[in-house]
Every structure is written in C-alpha cells, then in structure tokens.
Amino acid sequence: MAAFTGKSVLVLGGSRGIGAAIVKRFAADGARVTFTYAGSREAAVQLAAETETTAVMTDSADRDAVIARVRDSGRLDVLVINAGIGLFGDALELDPDAVDRLIRINVHAPYHASVEAARHMKEGGRIIVIGSVNGDRMPFAGGAAYALSKSALQGMARGLARDFGPRGITINVVQPGPIDTDANPADGPMKDLMHSFMALKRHGQPSEVAAMVAWLAGPEAGFVTGAMHTIDGAFGA
Ligand code: NDP
C-alpha cells in the first residue's frame, strides 16, 4: 500500500514549480489530491490530467476564497500551503499595493487557511507551509518585503502549534533555499550570487522539497511541530 493511500491532501498553489512537485509526490504516494492555481490554468489542467488529481482556481490574494476552499474541501488529512510570490527591489521605490498583495498571499492566506483547516481536521492532521531560508537570512538588498513575509510564517507556526497541539494537529514550515523553478531558474542572473552563499553550489530540485514535505506529512513526523525545516544547501548557515 502506498504511503498516503486513503489520505486527502489539499495543496494551495500547485500548478507549477515546488507546488507541482508536491502534487506529484502525494499523487504517486496514493493520496487523493486537490490543488489550487491562480494564473496558470493550462499548466494546472495538464498536471491534474497527468496525476489524476483535481485542480481548482482559487486566488490566494482573496482571503474569503481561500477560507471557503479549505472549508469546502471535505475531510482533510494534509494541507500544504505553497502559494507564494516574490517582490524584489528598492524598498523606497516598490509599489505599496504590490507589497500589500504579497503580504496577503504569503502571510494572510497561510494564517487563515491553517486556522480553517484546523476546524475540520481530525487528530493526526498535518499542516505544512512553504516558507524560505530568507525568513532567517536576507543577504542582499531589495528583499525586505519577501523576507518579512517568510519570517512571519515562523511566528505563525510557533503560535499555531500550541493552539493546534491539543487537537493532535501539527504545523511546520519548510524553508527552501534556491530551488530551480520559474521563479528562480538554476541558470538565472542571480545564480552566481546565490551559490556564493552556499556550501552546495547548486539549486535544489522541487522534488527534494517535496520529499521533505512528504516526510513531515507522514507517520514518522508525529512528534514534529512548531518547527522550521531548512533545505537550502547551507545558504542560511
Ligand atoms: P513559482 O512561481 O514557480 O510557482 C508559484 C506557484 O504558486 C504556482 O503554482 C502559482 O500558481 C502559485 N501561486 C502564486 N500566486 C498565487 C495566488 N495568488 N493564488 C494561488 N496560487 C498562487 O514559485 P516556486 O515554486 O519557486 O515557489 C513556491 C513557494 O516556494 C513559494 O512560497 C516561494 O516563496 C517558496 N520558495 C521558493 C524558492 C525558490 O528558490 N524557488 C526558495 C524559497 C522559497 P499560478 O501560476 O497558477 O498562479
């Protein structure tokens, strides 16, 4: 029997990159997977067909839509909150509306989705949020908004772990370093700068992050909660 046979998994932001790898991993491990997308309908429909999963359009910038998606997901064993955006540039120049949108997607949605999930999960439920090593370390200028959004997830997980512990639900943050996706291609212009901070001088693969998520969602991680799990080639070390 596959590791997640009979389990119901919702991935917020699953159409591309790390989220798509997480969808593939849980599907391969036998779970019933639903994932959300916002802009990439074609990629979402194709991934759903390939993996026999369900794609639904839900914009993580819309708090009420996110809450409704979690509420209407029925019985949920695992919630993975991956949807996230970057915004880099001179803090004195960035559009304040763009900063606020980032905070809605990267912080407000994870908080409200986690709380709503906890209302419906049974004992053994797992919530996993994709943060970033930039929550611990922001070694270049122009990343303050992104860094603040990812460090906010650390406080959220520490606090919600205490709220959810009595219900037998765990919540953890996975903190990737540079991972080869559309948002951060392994051959992109930032490659050499990023690798200069790392012990392992390569981008990670989305499947490597998905493997950590799968472990946190599985039975061996039952005593793990309120914690940050960094997978970054020592970017943050
Ligand atoms: P991509 O840009 O490659 O993919 C982002 C995914 O999130 C897409 O599936 C996208 O869906 C979804 N998404 C974005 N905005 C929304 C929204 N408003 N509503 C619903 N879904 C949304 O990014 P990555 O795969 O690289 O990143 C995934 C997560 O990992 C993010 O939280 C990111 O911050 C984090 N991360 C990434 C790192 C990296 O180096 N790649 C490093 C550290 C952390 P759609 O296209 O359909 O809108």
Side-chain angles (χ1 to χ4, degrees):
M1 193 171 77
F4 291 98
T5 299
K7 299 287 185 189
S8 169
V9 177
L10 174 63
V11 180
L12 298 182
S15 54
R16 296 181 294 111
I18 294 169
I22 293 167
V23 169
K24 286 179 193 164
R25 174 69 193 241
F26 279 112
D29 284 348
R32 184 163 50 81
V33 183
T34 299
F35 68 91
T36 69
Y37 66 93
S40 303
R41 184 173 186 281
E42 207 173 303
V45 169
Q46 194 178 330
L47 178 65
E50 278 170 21
T51 54
E52 298 183 18
T53 58
T54 305
V56 287
M57 164 36 202
T58 305
D59 184 354
S60 281
D62 180 342
R63 181 195 65 195
D64 293 343
V66 169
I67 292 171
R69 173 59 54 206
V70 174
R71 188 190 60 224
D72 297 343
S73 286
R75 200 206 79 217
L76 204 55
D77 298 297
V78 180
L79 171 67
V80 182
I81 304 161
N82 168 76
I85 60 169
L87 180 68
F88 297 94
D90 184 344
L92 278 59
E93 304 291 339
L94 286 178
D95 175 0
D97 286 339
V99 173
D100 285 1
R101 181 167 182 275
L102 174 141
I103 294 169
R104 285 205 302 279
I105 295 168
N106 290 12
V107 181
H108 295 180
Y111 178 85
H112 293 295
S114 298
V115 170
E116 188 62 23
R119 292 187 213 282
H120 306 289
M121 278 177 167
K122 294 212 175 76
E123 188 163 346
R126 298 277 203 274
I127 301 171
I128 297 146
V129 190
I130 308 300
S132 167
V133 69
N134 290 138
D136 286 331
R137 184 184 191 208
M138 175 44 78
F140 42 79
Y146 183 70
L148 91 79
S149 74
K150 295 302 188 179
S151 54
L153 298 176
Q154 301 178 340
M156 178 187 94
R158 291 183 180 115
L160 290 181
R162 297 194 186 275
D163 291 306
F164 299 168
R167 294 167 176 262
I169 297 165
T170 67
I171 177 164
N172 286 283
V173 180
V174 168
Q175 301 195 138
I179 305 296
D180 184 15
T181 66
D182 296 340
N184 187 1
D187 59 357
M190 297 288 280
K191 170 187 111 171
D192 290 334
L193 178 65
M194 287 182 182
H195 294 182
S196 75
F197 302 126
M198 299 165 73
L200 304 177
K201 300 206 179 288
R202 67 171 177 89
H203 275 46
Q205 291 303 312
S207 59
E208 294 179 299
V209 180
M212 182 180 266
V213 171
W215 182 77
L216 285 166
E220 290 178 315
F223 193 54
V224 182
T225 194
M228 315 314 136
H229 308 273
T230 301
I231 171 167
D232 70 339
F235 183 104

